[in-house]
Protein backbone atom coordinates (compact mmCIF):
# COMPACT_ATOMS: atom_id res chain seq x y z
CA UNK A 1 0.00 0.00 0.00
CA UNK A 2 1.62 3.26 -1.10
CA UNK A 3 -0.21 5.74 1.07
CA UNK A 4 0.49 4.94 4.72
CA UNK A 5 -2.17 5.88 7.25
CA UNK A 6 -1.91 5.86 11.04
CA UNK A 7 -4.59 3.21 11.14
CA UNK A 8 -5.29 0.30 8.81
CA UNK A 9 -8.93 0.78 9.74
CA UNK A 10 -8.96 4.12 7.92
CA UNK A 11 -7.67 2.40 4.78
CA UNK A 12 -10.32 -0.30 4.96
CA UNK A 13 -13.03 2.31 5.59
CA UNK A 14 -11.86 4.31 2.58
CA UNK A 15 -11.83 1.18 0.39
CA UNK A 16 -15.38 0.20 1.26
CA UNK A 17 -16.61 3.78 0.91
CA UNK A 18 -14.99 4.03 -2.52
CA UNK A 19 -16.44 0.69 -3.67
CA UNK A 20 -19.89 1.72 -2.50
CA UNK A 21 -19.56 5.09 -4.28
CA UNK A 22 -18.40 3.53 -7.56
CA UNK A 23 -21.22 0.96 -7.58
CA UNK A 24 -23.85 3.55 -6.63
CA UNK A 25 -22.84 5.97 -9.41
CA UNK A 26 -22.59 3.17 -11.98
CA UNK A 27 -26.01 1.77 -11.11
CA UNK A 28 -27.70 5.18 -11.14
CA UNK A 29 -26.25 5.95 -14.58
CA UNK A 30 -27.30 2.56 -15.98
CA UNK A 31 -30.75 2.70 -14.41
CA UNK A 32 -31.43 6.12 -15.92
CA UNK A 33 -30.30 5.01 -19.39
CA UNK A 34 -32.25 1.74 -19.32
CA UNK A 35 -35.33 3.62 -18.04
CA UNK A 36 -35.10 6.05 -20.96
CA UNK A 37 -34.88 3.11 -23.37
CA UNK A 38 -37.76 1.25 -21.66
CA UNK A 39 -35.57 -1.63 -20.42
CA UNK A 40 -35.62 -0.91 -16.67
CA UNK A 41 -38.18 -3.66 -15.90
CA UNK A 42 -35.72 -6.34 -17.08
CA UNK A 43 -32.79 -4.82 -15.21
CA UNK A 44 -33.17 -7.14 -12.20
CA UNK A 45 -31.08 -7.71 -9.07
CA UNK A 46 -29.03 -10.55 -10.56
CA UNK A 47 -27.91 -8.44 -13.52
CA UNK A 48 -27.22 -5.44 -11.28
CA UNK A 49 -25.08 -7.57 -8.95
CA UNK A 50 -23.10 -9.10 -11.81
CA UNK A 51 -22.40 -5.76 -13.49
CA UNK A 52 -21.44 -4.24 -10.12
CA UNK A 53 -18.99 -7.10 -9.66
CA UNK A 54 -17.45 -6.34 -13.07
CA UNK A 55 -16.93 -2.71 -12.02
CA UNK A 56 -15.21 -3.68 -8.75
CA UNK A 57 -13.01 -6.35 -10.37
CA UNK A 58 -11.91 -4.08 -13.24
CA UNK A 59 -11.19 -1.20 -10.90
CA UNK A 60 -9.33 -3.44 -8.44
CA UNK A 61 -7.19 -4.90 -11.25
CA UNK A 62 -6.09 -1.33 -12.09
CA UNK A 63 -5.12 -0.64 -8.45
CA UNK A 64 -7.96 1.84 -8.06
CA UNK A 65 -8.61 0.51 -4.55
CA UNK A 66 -4.92 0.19 -3.64
CA UNK A 67 -4.53 3.83 -2.52
CA UNK A 68 -1.84 4.68 -5.05
CA UNK A 69 0.01 7.86 -4.16
CA UNK A 70 -0.45 9.24 -7.66
CA UNK A 71 -1.84 12.34 -9.31
CA UNK A 72 -5.41 12.86 -10.41
CA UNK A 73 -4.27 12.37 -14.01
CA UNK A 74 -2.90 8.91 -13.17
CA UNK A 75 -6.23 8.07 -11.59
CA UNK A 76 -8.13 9.38 -14.62
CA UNK A 77 -5.96 7.27 -16.92
CA UNK A 78 -6.68 4.08 -14.97
CA UNK A 79 -10.40 4.89 -14.77
CA UNK A 80 -10.56 5.36 -18.55
CA UNK A 81 -8.78 2.06 -19.17
CA UNK A 82 -10.97 0.22 -16.68
CA UNK A 83 -14.16 1.74 -18.07
CA UNK A 84 -13.39 0.46 -21.56
CA UNK A 85 -12.92 -3.04 -20.10
CA UNK A 86 -16.13 -2.72 -18.04
CA UNK A 87 -18.08 -1.79 -21.17
CA UNK A 88 -16.67 -4.69 -23.20
CA UNK A 89 -17.32 -7.26 -20.48
CA UNK A 90 -20.81 -5.90 -19.79
CA UNK A 91 -21.82 -6.02 -23.46
CA UNK A 92 -20.35 -9.53 -23.77
CA UNK A 93 -22.33 -10.67 -20.70
CA UNK A 94 -25.59 -9.25 -22.04
CA UNK A 95 -24.98 -10.71 -25.51
CA UNK A 96 -24.04 -14.17 -24.15
CA UNK A 97 -27.23 -14.34 -22.08
CA UNK A 98 -29.47 -12.92 -24.83
CA UNK A 99 -30.70 -10.10 -22.60
CA UNK A 100 -32.83 -7.57 -24.45
CA UNK A 101 -30.89 -4.48 -23.41
CA UNK A 102 -29.81 -1.57 -25.54
CA UNK A 103 -26.04 -1.61 -26.18
CA UNK A 104 -26.28 2.09 -27.03
CA UNK A 105 -27.74 2.77 -23.56
CA UNK A 106 -24.80 0.96 -21.96
CA UNK A 107 -22.28 3.02 -23.94
CA UNK A 108 -23.95 6.31 -23.01
CA UNK A 109 -24.26 5.10 -19.41
CA UNK A 110 -20.50 4.52 -19.21
CA UNK A 111 -19.79 7.90 -20.82
CA UNK A 112 -21.90 9.57 -18.12
CA UNK A 113 -20.46 7.37 -15.35
CA UNK A 114 -16.78 8.18 -16.01
CA UNK A 115 -16.75 11.98 -15.40
CA UNK A 116 -19.13 11.72 -12.43
CA UNK A 117 -17.05 8.98 -10.85
CA UNK A 118 -13.82 10.96 -11.34
CA UNK A 119 -15.35 13.97 -9.57
CA UNK A 120 -16.74 11.77 -6.77
CA UNK A 121 -13.37 10.06 -6.24
CA UNK A 122 -11.61 13.42 -6.06
CA UNK A 123 -14.10 14.79 -3.51
CA UNK A 124 -14.03 11.60 -1.42
CA UNK A 125 -10.24 11.59 -1.22
CA UNK A 126 -10.19 15.27 -0.24
CA UNK A 127 -12.83 14.66 2.46
CA UNK A 128 -10.77 11.84 3.97
CA UNK A 129 -7.64 13.98 3.79
CA UNK A 130 -9.31 16.99 5.44
CA UNK A 131 -10.61 14.71 8.19
CA UNK A 132 -7.06 13.49 8.85
CA UNK A 133 -7.95 9.90 7.87
CA UNK A 134 -6.00 9.60 4.66
CA UNK A 135 -2.59 11.18 4.11
CA UNK A 136 1.09 10.52 3.49
CA UNK A 137 3.76 12.45 5.42
CA UNK A 138 6.82 12.96 3.22
CA UNK A 139 10.46 13.75 4.06
CA UNK A 140 12.70 14.79 1.15
CA UNK A 141 16.40 13.88 1.23
CA UNK A 142 18.15 16.57 -0.83
CA UNK A 143 17.17 20.24 -1.02
CA UNK A 144 18.54 20.89 -4.52
CA UNK A 145 16.63 21.54 -7.74
CA UNK A 146 15.17 18.02 -7.91
CA UNK A 147 13.96 18.14 -4.31
CA UNK A 148 12.45 21.60 -4.72
CA UNK A 149 10.69 20.58 -7.95
CA UNK A 150 9.32 17.45 -6.28
CA UNK A 151 7.99 19.49 -3.36
CA UNK A 152 6.30 21.90 -5.77
CA UNK A 153 4.71 19.02 -7.67
CA UNK A 154 3.40 17.44 -4.47
CA UNK A 155 2.00 20.78 -3.30
CA UNK A 156 0.26 21.45 -6.63
CA UNK A 157 -1.36 17.98 -6.80
CA UNK A 158 -3.85 18.03 -3.94
CA UNK A 159 -5.23 14.66 -5.05
CA UNK A 160 -2.06 12.92 -3.86
CA UNK A 161 -2.98 13.73 -0.24
CA UNK A 162 0.70 14.12 0.63
CA UNK A 163 2.20 16.58 3.07
CA UNK A 164 5.85 17.65 2.74
CA UNK A 165 7.27 17.77 6.27
CA UNK A 166 10.70 19.09 5.33
CA UNK A 167 14.09 18.55 3.70
CA UNK A 168 17.35 17.01 4.85
CA UNK A 169 20.51 18.33 3.20
CA UNK A 170 24.19 18.32 4.15
CA UNK A 171 24.78 21.75 2.60
CA UNK A 172 25.61 24.12 5.47
CA UNK A 173 24.20 27.12 3.55
CA UNK A 174 20.76 25.51 3.39
CA UNK A 175 20.31 24.85 7.10
CA UNK A 176 17.32 26.46 8.84
CA UNK A 177 15.93 28.02 5.66
CA UNK A 178 12.68 27.48 3.76
CA UNK A 179 12.61 26.21 0.18
CA UNK A 180 9.26 26.65 -1.62
CA UNK A 181 7.70 27.14 1.80
CA UNK A 182 9.16 23.90 3.20
CA UNK A 183 11.80 23.97 6.00
CA UNK A 184 15.23 22.34 5.83
CA UNK A 185 15.13 20.37 9.09
CA UNK A 186 18.77 19.36 9.30
CA UNK A 187 21.45 17.11 7.84
CA UNK A 188 21.36 13.42 6.99
CA UNK A 189 23.20 12.60 10.23
CA UNK A 190 20.21 14.06 12.09
CA UNK A 191 17.77 11.67 10.39
CA UNK A 192 17.04 9.37 13.35
CA UNK A 193 16.30 12.23 15.76
CA UNK A 194 14.22 14.14 13.21
CA UNK A 195 12.24 11.03 12.27
CA UNK A 196 11.36 10.46 15.94
CA UNK A 197 9.83 13.95 15.96
CA UNK A 198 8.06 14.10 12.59
CA UNK A 199 7.21 10.40 12.06
CA UNK A 200 7.34 10.52 8.24
CA UNK A 201 5.57 7.75 6.30
CA UNK A 202 7.64 8.19 3.16
CA UNK A 203 11.15 9.34 2.25
CA UNK A 204 12.10 10.65 -1.18
CA UNK A 205 15.77 10.64 -2.16
CA UNK A 206 16.05 13.63 -4.50
CA UNK A 207 19.77 13.59 -5.34
CA UNK A 208 19.80 12.57 -9.03
CA UNK A 209 23.59 12.90 -9.41
CA UNK A 210 24.46 10.81 -6.34
CA UNK A 211 26.61 7.72 -6.93
CA UNK A 212 25.31 4.23 -6.26
CA UNK A 213 27.55 4.04 -3.19
CA UNK A 214 26.07 7.22 -1.71
CA UNK A 215 22.52 6.10 -2.47
CA UNK A 216 23.27 2.78 -0.76
CA UNK A 217 24.57 4.62 2.33
CA UNK A 218 21.45 6.79 2.49
CA UNK A 219 19.18 3.77 2.08
CA UNK A 220 20.94 1.83 4.81
CA UNK A 221 20.45 4.74 7.15
CA UNK A 222 16.75 5.40 6.53
CA UNK A 223 15.14 2.14 5.38
CA UNK A 224 14.80 0.68 8.88
CA UNK A 225 13.04 3.79 10.16
CA UNK A 226 10.68 4.53 7.29
CA UNK A 227 8.31 2.14 5.56
CA UNK A 228 8.35 3.53 2.02
CA UNK A 229 11.27 5.02 0.08
CA UNK A 230 11.32 6.59 -3.40
CA UNK A 231 14.29 7.66 -5.49
CA UNK A 232 14.24 10.36 -8.19
CA UNK A 233 16.77 9.46 -10.93
CA UNK A 234 18.37 11.93 -13.28
CA UNK A 235 15.54 13.08 -15.57
CA UNK A 236 17.72 13.03 -18.68
CA UNK A 237 18.51 9.34 -18.13
CA UNK A 238 14.85 8.62 -17.50
CA UNK A 239 13.88 9.98 -20.92
CA UNK A 240 15.99 7.30 -22.60
CA UNK A 241 13.81 4.60 -21.16
CA UNK A 242 10.15 3.77 -21.04
CA UNK A 243 11.16 1.89 -17.95
CA UNK A 244 9.41 -1.30 -16.90
CA UNK A 245 11.16 -3.29 -14.19
CA UNK A 246 10.60 -7.06 -14.29
CA UNK A 247 12.06 -10.06 -12.52
CA UNK A 248 14.09 -12.63 -14.44
CA UNK A 249 14.58 -15.51 -12.00
CA UNK A 250 15.66 -13.17 -9.23
CA UNK A 251 17.53 -10.74 -11.49
CA UNK A 252 15.95 -7.26 -11.94
CA UNK A 253 15.64 -6.37 -15.63
CA UNK A 254 14.69 -2.96 -17.06
CA UNK A 255 12.79 -3.16 -20.35
CA UNK A 256 12.41 -0.23 -22.75
CA UNK A 257 10.06 0.35 -25.64
CA UNK A 258 9.34 3.14 -28.08
CA UNK A 259 5.62 3.08 -28.85
CA UNK A 260 5.70 5.42 -31.85
CA UNK A 261 8.04 3.14 -33.80
CA UNK A 262 5.12 0.73 -34.06
CA UNK A 263 3.23 1.34 -37.37
CA UNK A 264 -0.09 0.38 -35.76
CA UNK A 265 0.39 3.00 -33.04
CA UNK A 266 1.17 5.62 -35.69
CA UNK A 267 -2.08 4.78 -37.50
CA UNK A 268 -4.00 5.09 -34.21
CA UNK A 269 -2.36 8.44 -33.48
CA UNK A 270 -3.15 9.72 -37.00
CA UNK A 271 -6.79 8.70 -36.60
CA UNK A 272 -6.94 10.56 -33.28
CA UNK A 273 -5.42 13.64 -34.94
CA UNK A 274 -7.86 13.83 -37.85
CA UNK A 275 -10.94 12.89 -35.84
CA UNK A 276 -10.00 15.20 -32.95
CA UNK A 277 -9.01 18.02 -35.32
CA UNK A 278 -12.32 17.84 -37.17
CA UNK A 279 -14.25 17.78 -33.89
CA UNK A 280 -12.22 20.70 -32.50
CA UNK A 281 -12.86 22.72 -35.67
CA UNK A 282 -16.62 22.29 -35.21
CA UNK A 283 -16.55 23.07 -31.47
CA UNK A 284 -14.26 26.11 -31.66
CA UNK A 285 -15.53 27.71 -34.86
CA UNK A 286 -17.58 30.35 -32.96
CA UNK A 287 -14.51 31.39 -30.93
CA UNK A 288 -12.37 31.53 -34.06
CA UNK A 289 -14.89 33.72 -35.86
CA UNK A 290 -15.08 36.00 -32.80
CA UNK A 291 -11.28 36.29 -32.70
CA UNK A 292 -11.04 37.06 -36.43
CA UNK A 293 -13.60 39.87 -36.17
CA UNK A 294 -11.95 41.45 -33.10
CA UNK A 295 -8.48 41.38 -34.70
CA UNK A 296 -9.75 43.03 -37.86
CA UNK A 297 -11.68 45.70 -35.98
CA UNK A 298 -8.76 46.65 -33.72
CA UNK A 299 -6.22 47.76 -36.34
CA UNK A 300 -7.44 46.53 -39.72
CA UNK A 301 -4.38 44.33 -40.20
CA UNK A 302 -4.09 40.68 -41.23
CA UNK A 303 -6.10 38.18 -39.21
CA UNK A 304 -3.60 35.34 -39.38
CA UNK A 305 0.11 35.17 -38.69
CA UNK A 306 2.28 32.41 -40.11
CA UNK A 307 5.73 31.46 -38.96
CA UNK A 308 8.25 28.94 -40.25
CA UNK A 309 8.77 26.05 -37.83
CA UNK A 310 10.58 22.71 -37.77
CA UNK A 311 8.26 19.82 -38.56
CA UNK A 312 8.43 16.06 -38.96
CA UNK A 313 11.81 14.78 -40.19
CA UNK A 314 13.20 18.33 -39.66
CA UNK A 315 11.29 19.65 -42.68
CA UNK A 316 10.07 23.23 -42.40
CA UNK A 317 6.40 24.16 -42.54
CA UNK A 318 4.34 27.24 -41.69
CA UNK A 319 2.42 27.18 -38.43
CA UNK A 320 -0.72 29.36 -38.35
CA UNK A 321 -1.87 31.54 -35.48
CA UNK A 322 -4.22 34.43 -34.96
CA UNK A 323 -2.17 37.62 -35.13
CA UNK A 324 -1.64 38.92 -31.61
CA UNK A 325 0.96 41.63 -32.33
CA UNK A 326 1.00 44.96 -34.07
CA UNK A 327 1.58 44.80 -37.87
CA UNK A 328 5.14 46.21 -37.64
CA UNK A 329 6.23 43.81 -34.87
CA UNK A 330 9.48 42.78 -36.59
CA UNK A 331 10.71 46.34 -36.91
CA UNK A 332 9.96 46.99 -33.23
CA UNK A 333 11.75 43.77 -32.29
CA UNK A 334 14.97 44.94 -33.95
CA UNK A 335 14.92 48.07 -31.79
CA UNK A 336 14.12 46.11 -28.63
CA UNK A 337 17.04 43.72 -29.16
CA UNK A 338 19.45 46.65 -28.85
CA UNK A 339 18.73 46.44 -25.12
CA UNK A 340 21.07 43.76 -23.67
CA UNK A 341 18.58 42.62 -20.99
CA UNK A 342 15.80 42.19 -23.52
CA UNK A 343 18.19 40.48 -25.91
CA UNK A 344 19.14 37.96 -23.20
CA UNK A 345 15.47 37.24 -22.37
CA UNK A 346 14.62 36.74 -26.03
CA UNK A 347 17.61 34.45 -26.62
CA UNK A 348 16.44 32.16 -23.81
CA UNK A 349 12.77 31.75 -24.75
CA UNK A 350 12.37 33.49 -28.15
CA UNK A 351 9.65 35.65 -26.59
CA UNK A 352 9.16 38.33 -23.92
CA UNK A 353 7.02 38.03 -20.81
CA UNK A 354 5.88 41.65 -21.10
CA UNK A 355 5.90 42.30 -24.83
CA UNK A 356 4.82 45.85 -25.84
CA UNK A 357 4.16 44.61 -29.38
CA UNK A 358 1.15 42.56 -28.25
CA UNK A 359 -2.21 44.16 -29.08
CA UNK A 360 -5.11 44.54 -26.69
CA UNK A 361 -7.05 41.65 -28.22
CA UNK A 362 -3.74 39.80 -28.59
CA UNK A 363 -3.24 39.71 -24.82
CA UNK A 364 -6.64 38.09 -24.42
CA UNK A 365 -5.99 35.61 -27.22
CA UNK A 366 -2.66 34.57 -25.73
CA UNK A 367 -3.98 34.31 -22.19
CA UNK A 368 -6.78 32.01 -23.32
CA UNK A 369 -4.64 30.25 -25.98
CA UNK A 370 -7.24 31.12 -28.62
CA UNK A 371 -4.35 32.45 -30.75
CA UNK A 372 -3.22 28.81 -31.19
CA UNK A 373 -6.56 27.58 -32.60
CA UNK A 374 -5.69 28.06 -36.31
CA UNK A 375 -3.16 25.27 -35.78
CA UNK A 376 -6.15 22.95 -36.05
CA UNK A 377 -5.77 23.53 -39.80
CA UNK A 378 -2.14 22.42 -39.53
CA UNK A 379 -3.38 19.23 -37.87
CA UNK A 380 -5.96 18.59 -40.60
CA UNK A 381 -3.32 19.24 -43.25
CA UNK A 382 -1.14 16.51 -41.70
CA UNK A 383 1.64 18.91 -40.64
CA UNK A 384 0.99 18.67 -36.90
CA UNK A 385 -0.52 16.33 -34.31
CA UNK A 386 -2.94 17.25 -31.55
CA UNK A 387 -0.23 16.15 -29.09
CA UNK A 388 3.49 16.11 -29.78
CA UNK A 389 6.82 17.92 -29.33
CA UNK A 390 6.94 21.72 -29.35
CA UNK A 391 7.08 23.19 -32.86
CA UNK A 392 10.39 25.06 -32.72
CA UNK A 393 12.31 27.40 -35.05
CA UNK A 394 15.55 26.62 -36.86
CA UNK A 395 17.57 28.79 -34.47
CA UNK A 396 16.51 26.63 -31.54
CA UNK A 397 17.71 23.50 -33.33
CA UNK A 398 21.16 25.01 -33.83
CA UNK A 399 21.44 26.61 -30.40
CA UNK A 400 19.86 24.07 -28.04
CA UNK A 401 18.96 20.76 -29.69
CA UNK A 402 21.73 19.80 -32.08
CA UNK A 403 21.14 17.59 -35.11
CA UNK A 404 20.96 14.21 -33.35
CA UNK A 405 18.54 15.26 -30.59
CA UNK A 406 16.30 17.20 -32.96
CA UNK A 407 16.24 14.25 -35.37
CA UNK A 408 15.29 11.96 -32.49
CA UNK A 409 12.43 14.21 -31.37
CA UNK A 410 11.10 15.23 -34.77
CA UNK A 411 10.77 11.82 -36.31
CA UNK A 412 7.14 12.49 -35.34
CA UNK A 413 4.98 15.55 -36.01
CA UNK A 414 5.09 18.52 -33.60
CA UNK A 415 1.98 19.01 -31.50
CA UNK A 416 -0.68 21.65 -30.96
CA UNK A 417 -0.15 20.80 -27.28
CA UNK A 418 2.33 18.57 -25.52
CA UNK A 419 3.94 17.36 -22.32
CA UNK A 420 5.89 20.61 -21.89
CA UNK A 421 2.77 22.76 -22.28
CA UNK A 422 0.99 20.96 -19.42
CA UNK A 423 4.08 21.00 -17.18
CA UNK A 424 4.39 24.73 -16.66
CA UNK A 425 4.22 26.10 -20.24
CA UNK A 426 6.26 29.30 -20.51
CA UNK A 427 7.11 29.19 -16.79
CA UNK A 428 9.58 26.38 -17.53
CA UNK A 429 12.68 28.52 -18.10
CA UNK A 430 15.36 25.83 -18.21
CA UNK A 431 15.66 24.91 -21.87
CA UNK A 432 17.14 21.50 -21.11
CA UNK A 433 13.97 20.66 -19.18
CA UNK A 434 11.85 21.59 -22.19
CA UNK A 435 13.84 19.21 -24.37
CA UNK A 436 13.61 16.49 -21.72
CA UNK A 437 9.83 16.85 -21.61
CA UNK A 438 9.70 16.22 -25.35
CA UNK A 439 12.07 13.26 -25.07
CA UNK A 440 9.99 11.82 -22.24
CA UNK A 441 6.86 12.07 -24.39
CA UNK A 442 8.56 10.39 -27.35
CA UNK A 443 9.77 7.44 -25.29
CA UNK A 444 6.64 6.98 -23.20
CA UNK A 445 3.89 7.58 -25.75
CA UNK A 446 0.56 5.85 -25.39
CA UNK A 447 -3.03 6.63 -26.32
CA UNK A 448 -3.74 7.24 -22.65
CA UNK A 449 -0.84 9.69 -22.33
CA UNK A 450 -2.27 11.70 -25.24
CA UNK A 451 -5.73 11.69 -23.64
CA UNK A 452 -4.34 12.86 -20.29
CA UNK A 453 -2.27 15.61 -21.93
CA UNK A 454 -5.36 16.87 -23.78
CA UNK A 455 -7.37 16.89 -20.54
CA UNK A 456 -4.57 18.68 -18.70
CA UNK A 457 -4.32 21.19 -21.55
CA UNK A 458 -7.96 22.10 -21.00
CA UNK A 459 -7.17 22.74 -17.33
CA UNK A 460 -4.09 24.83 -18.16
CA UNK A 461 -6.01 26.90 -20.71
CA UNK A 462 -8.83 27.56 -18.25
CA UNK A 463 -6.38 28.57 -15.51
CA UNK A 464 -4.27 30.65 -17.90
CA UNK A 465 -1.18 29.68 -15.89
CA UNK A 466 2.14 30.19 -17.64
CA UNK A 467 0.57 31.66 -20.78
CA UNK A 468 1.88 34.91 -22.31
Amino acid sequence: MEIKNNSQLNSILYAFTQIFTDILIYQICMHIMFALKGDSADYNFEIRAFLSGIVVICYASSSLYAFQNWTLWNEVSEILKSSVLILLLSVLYIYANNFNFSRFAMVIGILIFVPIDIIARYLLRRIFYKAGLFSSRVLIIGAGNAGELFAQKITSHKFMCSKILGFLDDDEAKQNIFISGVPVLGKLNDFENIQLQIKADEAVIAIPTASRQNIAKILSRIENNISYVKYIPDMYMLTTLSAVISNMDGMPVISARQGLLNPVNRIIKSFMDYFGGFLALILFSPLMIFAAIKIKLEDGGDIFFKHKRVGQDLKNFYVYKFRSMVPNAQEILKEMLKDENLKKEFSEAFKFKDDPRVTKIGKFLRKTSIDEMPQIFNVLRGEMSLVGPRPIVDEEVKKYYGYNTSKQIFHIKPGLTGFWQVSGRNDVKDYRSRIEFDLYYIHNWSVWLDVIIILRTVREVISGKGAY
Side-chain angles (χ1 to χ4, degrees), residues 38 52 56 64-65 98 112 117 167 184 191 290 312 358 414 452:
S52 296
V56 174
L64 287 167
Y65 299 121
N98 294 316
I112 297 172
D117 194 52
F167 294 97
V184 177
F191 169 73
F290 165 80
Q312 188 175 20
V358 178
I452 294 303

Side-chain angles (χ1 to χ4, degrees), residues 71 73 153-161 456 459:
T71 67
W73 306 111
K153 293 287 185 182
I154 289 290
T155 303
S156 64
H157 290 288
K158 303 297 184 184
F159 187 79
M160 295 182 72
C161 295
R456 290 184 65 176
R459 187 190 72 170

Side-chain angles (χ1 to χ4, degrees), residues 2 67 69 82 94 208 291 310 352 367 459:
E2 286 196 0
F67 311 107
N69 190 7
S82 299
I94 288 175
V310 175
F352 303 104
K367 190 69 176 177
R459 187 190 72 170

Side-chain angles (χ1 to χ4, degrees), residues 284-325:
F284 297 126
S285 288
L287 277 177
M288 295 172 72
I289 293 171
F290 165 80
I293 294 172
K294 294 293 287 185
I295 293 169
K296 200 68 178 175
L297 289 176
E298 182 164 349
D299 58 22
D302 294 333
I303 293 172
F304 297 104
F305 166 79
K306 68 177 183 178
H307 198 263
K308 187 185 290 185
R309 299 296 175 93
V310 175
Q312 188 175 20
D313 298 324
L314 301 182
K315 295 178 181 177
N316 289 126
F317 74 104
Y318 284 100
V319 65
Y320 291 93
K321 293 185 177 185
F322 282 121
R323 182 175 60 84
S324 58
M325 293 185 179

